[in-house]
Amino acid sequence: ALEEAHAAQAAAATKEFEEIQALMTEVLDKETEASHKYRQLSDQRAAAAQRELDHRQQFLEEQRKLNMIEIMALEQRKMKELELKQKEASETAEAAKRNLAEQKQRERDALEATKKALEDARLAGRGGKRVSIGGAK
């Protein structure tokens, strides 16, 4: 009877050991699976973070290019405005030169006309004779 009790107790202990071993194997398998899943999700998160970082860097690079293009466009617009102002200034200076030359020519013409009128008046006042001033009559 004692041997039967020991045999029954040994069988029960063996059965319990096998159940616990099966349970441990199942738990270890689940833990391994969870670990793989965690590693996979961690890798995915790291890859997503890297993609985000890459996209941010690309965005910053594109933003920098856009800023450069805007600055270049602004500089080009300023240069065109300066060229236009310079052209207008040149045209104004040229017009002023022409006006000054025309005014001088009018003054010369008026002076010549005045000299001719004085000469004609002097000749008409002497009866058309030319007499030298302070000279013999």
Side-chain angles (χ1 to χ4, degrees):
L2 185 60
E3 280 187 31
E4 278 183 31
H6 274 294
Q9 193 177 17
T14 302
K15 183 178 176 186
E16 184 180 346
F17 175 77
E18 289 173 354
E19 288 175 359
I20 290 176
Q21 191 174 20
L23 183 62
M24 286 296 289
T25 303
E26 184 180 334
V27 168
L28 285 175
D29 287 346
K30 285 183 181 179
E31 184 178 348
T32 303
E33 184 180 332
S35 176
H36 288 312
K37 183 84 167 174
Y38 176 78
R39 180 171 287 131
Q40 181 183 12
L41 291 174
S42 179
D43 291 346
Q44 287 175 353
R45 186 174 63 233
Q50 185 61 43
R51 279 193 309 272
E52 179 184 1
L53 182 62
D54 292 344
H55 288 156
R56 282 180 190 232
Q57 287 175 344
Q58 183 179 2
F59 173 75
L60 290 175
E61 181 66 23
E62 295 301 322
Q63 188 70 36
R64 187 183 65 78
K65 287 178 184 178
L66 177 63
N67 289 342
M68 235 192 309
I69 290 171
E70 287 175 346
I71 289 171
M72 288 172 54
L74 180 63
E75 292 296 323
Q76 189 176 24
R77 190 168 47 248
K78 284 181 182 179
M79 288 298 293
K80 283 184 180 180
E81 288 174 6
L82 287 174
E83 288 172 1
L84 182 62
K85 286 180 182 179
Q86 183 180 13
K87 184 179 176 184
E88 290 172 356
S90 295
E91 289 173 355
T92 302
E94 191 62 37
K97 275 185 184 179
R98 279 193 308 272
N99 287 340
L100 183 61
E102 289 171 3
Q103 181 181 354
K104 283 184 179 183
Q105 186 60 45
R106 284 192 301 270
E107 288 174 359
R108 276 190 235 121
D109 291 347
L111 184 59
E112 189 65 37
T114 303
K115 282 182 182 179
K116 188 173 187 317
L118 283 174
E119 183 66 28
D120 289 346
R122 193 170 38 159
L123 288 176
R126 294 189 182 168
K129 296 181 185 174
R130 260 195 102 128
V131 178
S132 63
I133 299 175
K137 295 183 184 180

